Amino acid sequence: MDIEDGPRGARAEWAVVESGIGPLFLAATGRGLVRVEFHAGGNRGTRMPERLAEQLGGPAVECATGLLGEPVRQLERYFAGALRAFELPLDWSLTTGFNRQVLRELATGVPYGTVVGYGELARRVGQPGAAQAVGVAMGANPLPVVVPCHRVVESDGGLGGFGGGLETKRRLLALEGVLPEPLF
């Protein structure tokens, strides 16, 4: 179940959780998971709740009622190699227009263990000349890992960019069997 837009001023709950790629900042509203951010340790992590509150126009409180219980469980299973598809309600209110269209196609049309090119994803949403705009949408993805922007690569097989860093992208693709595990 996905929520398109909720009322401005939504209350969000957040937590920082450890993962196979480092600490993740997770946030959910009563409508669903709304934010996943990489590298949530240290000073960077302390600014994330305030920024989220500004984006949503409502308070962000540290995990209070358990809205993050299921997302945390599913992410733990994913990083353990036991989950191939997330089944979570998503709150899409932090994305709009073309970006939302591309991210929804990515979420539903690019399964675990596969990759898609930027141009191919643009074609799938009816904008065959918009490969660069797809790259912008990937960079603005508020739900990485769950909405798997790490599965989008260059047409020549190159990794392309990644907001979490290329090493994080390599690790996620290796977890899914797309790339070999590093030797050391």
Side-chain angles (χ1 to χ4, degrees), residues 30-133:
R31 299 179 302 270
L33 188 66
V34 70
R35 169 71 76 191
V36 176
E37 289 191 57
F38 299 111
H39 314 299
N43 288 338
R44 186 169 192 268
T46 60
R47 292 188 305 269
M48 290 176 180
E50 182 179 311
R51 192 170 70 241
L52 178 68
E54 289 171 7
Q55 291 171 324
L56 292 174
V61 296
E62 195 163 4
C63 204
T65 65
L67 294 175
L68 291 169
E70 188 58 24
V72 168
R73 279 187 287 282
Q74 288 193 30
L75 281 161
E76 286 172 348
R77 292 185 61 228
Y78 171 81
F79 284 109
L83 181 78
R84 292 178 172 251
F86 291 98
E87 294 183 18
L88 295 169
L90 301 178
D91 179 340
W92 291 95
S93 61
L94 295 180
T95 186
T96 60
F98 178 79
N99 287 5
R100 182 183 290 174
Q101 182 182 10
V102 169
L103 293 170
R104 289 180 63 89
E105 173 60 29
L106 175 63
T108 59
V110 185
Y112 183 98
T114 65
V115 294
V116 65
Y118 293 95
E120 170 60 19
L121 197 50
R123 187 192 63 71
R124 289 185 189 185
V125 297
Q127 301 290 326
Q132 284 185 313

Side-chain angles (χ1 to χ4, degrees), residues 154-172:
E154 295 175 342
S155 60
D156 66 1
L159 287 180
F162 193 62
L166 289 182
E167 182 55 31
T168 299
K169 187 171 188 172
R170 282 186 195 96
R171 290 171 65 189
L172 290 167

